[in-house]
Amino acid sequence: MGKDQTVLAHCNLFGVLGAIPELLRIDEEARALVKGQRISIGFSVKNGPRATLFFENGNAVLREGCGSCSIKLYFSSPEKFNGMIDGTAMPLPVSGFFRLGFLLKNFTKLTDILSSYLRPAEGALENPEFLVKSTKLMLHVIAGSVAQIGCVDPVGRFSASNIVDGDIKISIGDPKSGGAAIAVSAKDHRLQVLESVPEVSFSEMSFADYQTARDLFDGKINAVAAVGTGKVRIFGMISQIDNVNRILDRVSLYLA
């Protein structure tokens, strides 16, 4: 099966735009764009996902649903929303016209910064600091997309149907000393990214360092081979990780 535009819209909303809270935590320029702002942007996609991005005091959180918000953007189809993410289509504001300055200036600059990390210029990843930030953001995009594909993509749902309840942790290095971690919760065969990483998880996939994680994310090295060399370690319930890896194959298709 190929790309489904509705599934892609879920990945773009909860994976790509879902990485904005992490962007604000790691990039000072991005944080400055929303410092002192208290504003929310709702994204409503016909026959697709709905979510609201809340900004307050230089931080952000993405919540499912699109109720009360400062600016509401409506998209007549998943294709239109995906076009906005690709930069080939403009959103249609249906409320909050007096706040459009924030949308057209601050938010546009914010997404430009995000794009620079997710689609780095040639040679950018040779900078160790940029590599770390870019890979942290990719981790959030991938986790968000795994959760969405496990819920709305037919192939992903099949894999999710074989995942027992419990938290799955994905980590890079030691999160307590410069590493990173994120967790996906499985409950009743539905997946959801957790806002905080639990101390104890049912299973874990751990990358030795940021370069290993990046090479895997970019498809430059094989996961099985990396496990063999010790650059990737797996703990806990192996079947959870195995089915998450199957969903990761779908993420590669949608985010390519």
Side-chain angles (χ1 to χ4, degrees), residues 26-28 117 124-136 210:
I26 65 176
D27 188 280
E28 293 183 6
Y117 281 115
L125 292 174
E126 295 174 8
N127 181 317
E129 182 180 354
F130 184 92
L131 171 69
V132 168
K133 291 181 178 181
S134 177
T135 306
K136 281 184 176 180
Y210 283 102

Side-chain angles (χ1 to χ4, degrees), residues 20 24 34 37-39 53-56 59-60 102 107 110:
I20 286 178
L24 298 183
V34 296
Q37 297 277 358
R38 186 177 183 182
I39 193 168
L53 191 57
F54 296 89
F55 296 95
E56 186 170 3
N59 298 307
F102 176 86
F107 185 69
L110 194 65

Side-chain angles (χ1 to χ4, degrees), residues 89-137:
M90 290 293 291
L92 174 65
V94 294
S95 67
F97 297 100
F98 63 99
R99 307 298 296 271
L100 289 183
F102 176 86
L103 178 70
L104 298 175
K105 295 179 181 178
N106 304 57
F107 185 69
T108 297
K109 290 180 181 177
L110 194 65
T111 55
D112 286 344
I113 294 172
L114 179 63
S115 181
S116 73
Y117 281 115
L118 298 181
R119 296 182 177 180
E122 186 176 352
L125 292 174
E126 295 174 8
N127 181 317
E129 182 180 354
F130 184 92
L131 171 69
V132 168
K133 291 181 178 181
S134 177
T135 306
K136 281 184 176 180
L137 290 168

Side-chain angles (χ1 to χ4, degrees), residues 9 15 29 74 76 80 95 98 138 147 154 156 180 187 198 204-205 219 221 236:
E29 181 185 359
Y74 174 76
S76 59
K80 293 290 187 182
S95 67
F98 63 99
M138 283 298 300
K187 185 175 182 180
E204 179 178 353
M205 177 186 294
I221 60 176

Side-chain angles (χ1 to χ4, degrees), residues 183-249:
V184 175
S185 172
K187 185 175 182 180
D188 299 327
H189 309 299
R190 291 186 63 83
L191 306 180
Q192 182 179 11
V193 177
L194 297 176
E195 290 188 11
S196 59
V197 179
E199 287 292 328
V200 179
S201 59
F202 220 52
S203 60
E204 179 178 353
M205 177 186 294
S206 177
F207 304 108
D209 49 49
Y210 283 102
Q211 189 64 61
T212 297
R214 189 72 198 203
D215 287 344
L216 274 165
F217 294 165
D218 291 344
K220 293 181 178 179
I221 60 176
N222 179 272
V224 174
V227 170
T229 61
K231 290 188 175 182
V232 176
R233 294 188 294 168
I234 297 174
F235 310 93
M237 181 159 288
I238 304 302
S239 66
Q240 273 194 329
I241 298 296
D242 183 49
N243 282 292
V244 166
N245 277 330
R246 294 176 193 275
I247 298 174
L248 277 170
D249 288 340

Side-chain angles (χ1 to χ4, degrees), residues 17-96:
L17 295 187
I20 286 178
E22 177 67 11
L23 175 67
L24 298 183
R25 285 189 282 267
I26 65 176
D27 188 280
E28 293 183 6
E29 181 185 359
R31 191 162 53 249
L33 290 169
V34 296
K35 186 177 181 180
Q37 297 277 358
R38 186 177 183 182
I39 193 168
S40 57
I41 304 176
F43 302 88
S44 178
V45 183
K46 185 179 181 180
N47 300 321
R50 293 158 57 89
T52 302
L53 191 57
F54 296 89
F55 296 95
E56 186 170 3
N57 298 326
N59 298 307
V61 63
L62 182 72
R63 303 279 190 209
E64 191 169 357
C66 188
S68 177
C69 51
S70 307
I71 304 169
K72 186 174 183 179
L73 304 179
Y74 174 76
F75 302 86
S76 59
S77 68
E79 288 86 352
K80 293 290 187 182
F81 177 73
N82 295 330
M84 184 199 75
I85 299 297
D86 291 339
T88 59
M90 290 293 291
L92 174 65
V94 294
S95 67

